[in-house]
Amino acid sequence: NADSAMYRAKESGRNNHQFYTAELTKIAHARFTLDTQLRQGIEAKQFVLFYQPIVEYDKDTKLTKVVGVEALIRWYRNGNELVMPNDFIPFAEDTGLIVPIGKWVLQQACKQLVEWDALGLSDLKLAVNISPRQFHDANFINSIESVLNESGLSANRLTLEITEGAIMEQEDMAVEILLALKALGLRIAIDDFGTGHSSLSKLRFLPLDELKIDRAFVRNIPENSDDMHIATTILAMAKGLRLHVVAEGIETEEQLAFFAHSGCEQYQGYKFSRPLPAADLPAFIQNI
Ligand code: C2E
Ligand code: MG
Ligand code: MG
Ligand code: MG
């Protein structure tokens, strides 16, 4: 009857409410824990950079040359448990902890490059990921300048990888920042290109140097002909706009052959190398 239906509805409503409250408490607790752990991680220097080679490849001679590296962060939580960036960078971005973490990444990576210079691995370029929050931080330009000064790395060897999202939010501000970075002599790359929703007409007016084609368009080549068309279109557009291109996530011989024949210049992916600990890079370059 109606009374008991009402009773059941009330009961389940209350249970739902209790359920959500319990879930929210759990989530809030997990976030609090992660925040605390990340702060400890910064204090206790639990972060490490891996470096993935960026290569040029000559399809005629089949020669591969390492021209640079992308610095990729890893976190050894409590000193031992490996946490990958997708599992803490978005959170650090939300809370703002990405600002000190990102500064450490820049310092560490620039210092590493200068050490490699001294070993004779000269002229590698360095690519560093910059999150939107870091990019828009009021101190960002200053901190880039001081990192370059302290390390002695020339600005033109440093490529900042930013996403379309970082530019499209607060667009006017983003253009100012990009111009200031260009004035310092840095290179700018759009990371994960094609996955954001920037319009090409907007990109056209930005002071960019490079596009990194997202792995999403590389993964299903050669099976997926749509992806092949997208990739060739990006390459043609980049050429027209005089932008350099790096294809991300090259895993197979076929993917490499496709991009090499489509006029791509540089590659990154497991086909050449996974991200490596810094200590392994010199040997990799010598033996490639
Ligand atoms: P990303 O900048 O697009 O970096 C490329 C990611 O693809 C890396 O994952 C790399 O290991 C992976 N990858 C490279 N080649 C291949 C391949 O052939 N196959 C497959 N399956 N994967 C490949 P990782 O190191 O887990 O980093 C994930 C993302 O985390 C990065 O994507 C970047 O957005 C972010 N990230 C990493 N380090 C930093 C950092 O220092 N600061 C910031 N703000 N973000 C970072
Ligand atoms: Mg990147
Ligand atoms: Mg990428
Ligand atoms: Mg990516």
Side-chain angles (χ1 to χ4, degrees):
N1 65 31
D3 266 2
S4 69
M6 176 79 86
Y7 175 79
R8 280 203 307 276
K10 262 193 190 152
E11 269 307 280
S12 82
R14 192 162 72 212
N15 284 340
N16 265 336
H17 177 73
Q18 279 170 349
F19 174 76
Y20 284 127
T21 308
E23 278 302 290
L24 285 176
T25 306
K26 236 197 271 175
I27 291 168
H29 185 74
R31 291 179 66 87
F32 178 76
T33 307
L34 188 54
D35 189 69
T36 308
Q37 291 174 332
L38 267 178
R39 285 171 197 279
Q40 286 166 352
I42 297 171
E43 282 292 306
K45 306 198 188 315
Q46 294 169 358
F47 298 100
V48 175
L49 295 182
F50 274 46
Y51 296 88
Q52 188 176 32
I54 299 172
V55 308
E56 281 174 3
Y57 169 79
D58 185 319
K59 64 180 185 327
D60 303 317
T61 62
K62 300 213 181 321
L63 285 179
T64 304
K65 182 181 178 217
V66 178
V67 293
V69 292
E70 177 175 3
L72 295 159
I73 196 170
R74 275 90 183 92
W75 176 24
Y76 287 96
R77 178 159 48 195
N78 304 319
N80 52 34
E81 179 202 352
L82 174 63
V83 189
M84 297 300 280
N86 287 334
D87 295 325
F88 68 93
I89 293 288
F91 178 82
E93 170 77 6
D94 277 358
T95 60
L97 281 178
I98 193 63
V99 173
I101 294 172
K103 171 127 195 217
W104 175 84
V105 170
L106 279 163
Q107 283 169 330
Q108 183 63 28
C110 290
K111 204 172 92 187
Q112 183 62 69
L113 233 72
V114 172
E115 281 175 30
W116 281 331
D117 283 352
L119 290 181
L121 309 184
S122 56
D123 274 348
L124 290 177
K125 73 168 180 174
L126 169 66
V128 174
N129 294 285
I130 304 295
S131 83
R133 177 109 173 220
Q134 196 186 352
F135 181 78
H136 286 282
D137 185 77
N139 266 320
F140 182 57
I141 308 278
N142 279 335
S143 79
I144 290 275
E145 271 191 283
S146 60
V147 168
L148 288 172
N149 284 334
E150 282 160 23
S151 66
L153 187 75
S154 6
N156 62 9
R157 293 180 56 198
L158 178 57
T159 302
L160 302 182
E161 297 192 0
I162 57 180
T163 53
E164 294 166 70
I167 294 175
M168 293 308 135
E169 73 185 44
Q170 306 179 54
E171 211 185 310
D172 294 344
M173 194 59 200
V175 174
E176 296 287 311
I177 300 166
L178 288 175
L179 289 171
L181 293 168
K182 288 307 298 174
L184 289 178
L186 283 96
R187 300 180 76 250
I188 310 289
I190 302 290
D191 203 354
D192 305 337
F193 183 73
T195 61
H197 26 253
S198 51
S199 71
L200 296 178
S201 60
K202 277 177 184 165
L203 287 183
R204 156 87 181 72
F205 293 104
L206 297 173
L208 305 175
D209 300 281
E210 181 179 303
L211 302 180
K212 297 191 79 172
I213 302 182
D214 194 72
R215 194 165 72 82
F217 305 111
V218 177
R219 197 164 28 208
N220 299 315
I221 288 177
E223 299 82 30
N224 187 314
S225 62
D226 288 348
D227 286 348
M228 297 213 265
H229 283 117
I230 292 171
T232 30
T233 304
I234 294 174
L235 286 163
M237 179 200 71
K239 196 168 186 189
L241 297 177
R242 285 176 301 280
L243 295 170
H244 298 280
V245 178
V246 178
E248 291 191 319
I250 299 284
E251 291 186 357
T252 70
E253 196 65 52
E254 289 92 333
Q255 289 165 350
L256 176 60
F258 169 79
F259 278 94
H261 282 92
S262 309
C264 188
E265 302 172 300
Q266 297 186 344
Y267 312 89
Q268 196 178 339
Y270 294 174
K271 164 93 182 77
F272 300 102
S273 175
R274 292 187 175 249
L276 299 171
D280 294 353
L281 200 85
F284 177 83
I285 290 180
Q286 251 156 30
N287 298 327
I288 196 170

